[in-house]
Amino acid sequence: MIYLDHAATCPMRECSLEQMTEAMQKVYGNASPSYPIAQEAKAKLDQARSVLADTIGADWKEIFFTSGGTEGDNWALTGAVEAGLPERRTGHIITTQVEHHAVLHTCAYLESRGYTVSYLPVDEEGFVSGESLRKELERHPDTVLVSVMLANNEVGTVEPVQELVRIVRNREEELRNADGEGAEPGREFRRKPARRILFHTDAVQAYGKLSIDVKELDVDLLSVSAHKIGGPKGIGFLYIRKGTRIGSLIHGGAQESGRRAGTENVPAVIGFAAAAKEAAADREKENATVRRLQLFFRDRLRKDVEEACGIRMLWNGPEPEETEEQTGTRRLPGNVSVSFPGFDQRTLLINLDLAGICASGGSACTTGALDPSHVLMAMTKDLQRSAGTLRFSLGPENTREEIETTLHVLTETMKRIQLCPRTSSEEL
């Protein structure tokens, strides 16, 4: 098997598997009671929380465990707007057209509850424009939340989140100043307290690959998942900046400082922390490896498929960075998204699968769906391009030989399709 779908999930790191297995055998206490075995679990939980906080420059009290990225996104959006406006279900949310469905479907849910939502467009490389955000903030003075992903899961575009946050903070200042207008001449006017427009970023794909500092980003909420970095599935965290008002998504006990009910999954948290610590320590080395593979894959695609076979190929998203110093500034290392207009995505994937090669057409959460990629449609508005798109996402354990094998299978499949253009995907 050749595994080229690391954006969907990653093989577990040995350190994570070992520490999680040991914890399941020895640290089985519930972290809430006061007896010794419970307090041991509580201590392990807090140690892991501190390790994870360090990976994003946060305080350990700002880390709240979730079941993964989807819950983190749901909690961030729903909890933020409902905490800010608990009585009158009104207020505006700004997000983008290329977010993960965990954000987009939550926004659709909130629209059904009475909130309004703006969906920012992107350019042909998948980048959000700061000017489009500025215009939406001016158009909607009742904006309570902005949510923009840190890196796209389908095409790897790294969004300018720090710049976008700065625009939001400038808008807050404008609103704060506007609150003070209208005072009678000669009378001291007491201004209203500053209105915080919360900023959330989905960092599920970026975490472990990009250097993240929540203080530099100045975000209020950030969601992460463990299995994208070689940790266990079913665990993640939501960073909640100290002082941020956010409602609970899951109600019950008083776990996670009363914000997220449910017995904590201590072994999974321990496995998560182990994977995160190793990913942080090895990030530069692993990024260098997958970036070289990414460039090799791109160049061979253009040579073996586009030039040698005469097949039209389109690269999706920004070009990979050419130097190690630039890695991750515009595109995630390891992400290879390419389109072959006129070819059927499903046919290509079936033939890759038959050869033991794991790849995808886009987001793992939409595999098998007949709808075109919302990300590529937002970027290109080209249905044919979307229908012929493949995503390969590389890991540090991949080799050039695996990529060469993949290219051979892909080109041979395309040659057969060109000879028999009416052959169905089922027959192939």
Side-chain angles (χ1 to χ4, degrees), residues 20 23 27-31 40-42 44-45 48 235 263-271:
M20 188 176 175
V27 191
Y28 55 83
N30 186 316
E40 180 188 6
K42 177 72 163 55
K44 293 288 187 182
L45 196 68
I235 190 71
T263 301
E264 295 96 342
N265 188 343
V266 178
V269 168
I270 290 171

Side-chain angles (χ1 to χ4, degrees), residues 34 49 64 87 105 129-130 145 147 151 167 171 195-196 203 225 259 265 272 291 310 356 397:
S34 59
R49 201 187 305 272
F64 298 86
E87 296 176 358
H105 289 172
S129 159
L145 176 70
S147 180
I167 291 169
R171 180 56 178 163
R195 286 205 296 131
R196 184 81 170 178
S225 186
R259 284 182 153 175
N265 188 343
F272 183 9
R291 185 188 63 83
E397 78 278 7

Side-chain angles (χ1 to χ4, degrees), residues 232-254:
K233 296 176 180 65
I235 190 71
F237 71 73
L238 178 64
Y239 158 78
I240 304 175
R241 184 206 291 262
K242 184 179 179 181
T244 299
R245 291 182 60 191
I246 181 169
S248 295
L249 185 66
I250 298 176
H251 304 277

Side-chain angles (χ1 to χ4, degrees), residues 144-325:
V144 295
L145 176 70
V146 176
S147 180
V148 179
M149 68 194 335
L150 197 51
N152 189 269
N153 53 303
E154 291 194 28
V155 298
T157 304
V158 178
E159 298 293 351
V161 168
Q162 192 169 6
E163 173 195 338
L164 300 177
V165 174
R166 194 177 301 119
I167 291 169
V168 171
R169 300 302 173 231
N170 289 339
R171 180 56 178 163
E172 286 176 347
E173 182 66 22
E174 291 173 2
L175 292 171
R176 188 160 50 239
N177 293 335
D179 284 341
E181 294 177 359
E184 295 180 20
R187 290 187 60 184
E188 184 180 352
F189 186 79
R190 187 174 183 181
R191 291 184 175 179
K192 299 176 183 178
R195 286 205 296 131
R196 184 81 170 178
I197 300 172
L198 298 182
F199 198 108
H200 163 255
T201 188
D202 176 339
V204 168
Q205 289 294 333
Y207 184 68
K209 303 176 185 72
L210 305 183
S211 176
I212 299 174
D213 188 315
V214 290
K215 293 182 177 63
E216 289 184 5
L217 288 176
D218 197 21
V219 294
D220 302 285
L221 303 157
L222 180 143
S223 42
V224 161
S225 186
H227 72 101
K228 305 293 188 179
I229 61 166
K233 296 176 180 65
I235 190 71
F237 71 73
L238 178 64
Y239 158 78
I240 304 175
R241 184 206 291 262
K242 184 179 179 181
T244 299
R245 291 182 60 191
I246 181 169
S248 295
L249 185 66
I250 298 176
H251 304 277
Q255 291 89 353
E256 295 302 288
S257 301
R259 284 182 153 175
R260 200 268 192 185
T263 301
E264 295 96 342
N265 188 343
V266 178
V269 168
I270 290 171
F272 183 9
K277 188 173 182 178
E278 182 173 280
D282 295 345
R283 183 176 60 242
E284 290 186 8
K285 181 178 69 174
E286 292 181 354
N287 279 351
T289 299
V290 295
R291 185 188 63 83
R292 286 193 293 268
L293 289 172
Q294 180 187 46
L295 290 168
F296 176 73
F297 205 161
R298 180 202 61 182
D299 294 344
R300 288 294 300 270
L301 276 166
R302 287 174 175 163
K303 180 181 179 182
D304 295 358
V305 178
E306 196 168 27
E307 294 178 16
C309 298
I311 294 169
R312 184 181 175 216
M313 186 195 85
L314 298 171
W315 181 263
N316 298 316
E319 289 286 334
E321 292 84 358
E322 296 291 338
T323 66
E324 290 187 16
E325 292 74 22

Side-chain angles (χ1 to χ4, degrees), residues 33-176:
S34 59
Y35 46 77
I37 194 170
Q39 288 306 294
E40 180 188 6
K42 177 72 163 55
K44 293 288 187 182
L45 196 68
D46 288 343
Q47 288 170 13
R49 201 187 305 272
S50 294
V51 169
L52 293 165
D54 287 344
T55 63
I56 60 168
D59 186 272
W60 69 276
K61 293 181 180 179
E62 297 173 311
I63 302 298
F64 298 86
F65 293 115
T66 65
S67 62
T70 294
E71 183 190 331
D73 288 346
N74 274 255
W75 185 11
L77 271 63
T78 304
V81 299
E82 292 190 345
L85 298 166
E87 296 176 358
R88 53 188 185 90
R89 302 289 182 191
T90 60
H92 192 71
I93 302 163
I94 299 175
T95 188
T96 80
Q97 295 176 1
V98 296
E99 297 297 309
H100 190 277
H101 283 118
V103 168
L104 294 178
H105 289 172
T106 304
C107 284
Y109 161 74
L110 291 169
E111 283 187 280
S112 74
R113 299 285 302 275
Y115 299 94
T116 57
V117 183
S118 294
Y119 298 90
L120 301 176
V122 295
D123 64 19
E124 290 186 355
E125 291 185 321
F127 289 107
V128 178
S129 159
E131 186 59 30
S132 67
L133 174 59
R134 187 179 291 107
K135 288 180 179 178
E136 285 303 309
L137 287 167
E138 292 173 354
R139 191 174 291 123
H140 298 280
D142 60 337
T143 298
V144 295
L145 176 70
V146 176
S147 180
V148 179
M149 68 194 335
L150 197 51
N152 189 269
N153 53 303
E154 291 194 28
V155 298
T157 304
V158 178
E159 298 293 351
V161 168
Q162 192 169 6
E163 173 195 338
L164 300 177
V165 174
R166 194 177 301 119
I167 291 169
V168 171
R169 300 302 173 231
N170 289 339
R171 180 56 178 163
E172 286 176 347
E173 182 66 22
E174 291 173 2
L175 292 171
R176 188 160 50 239

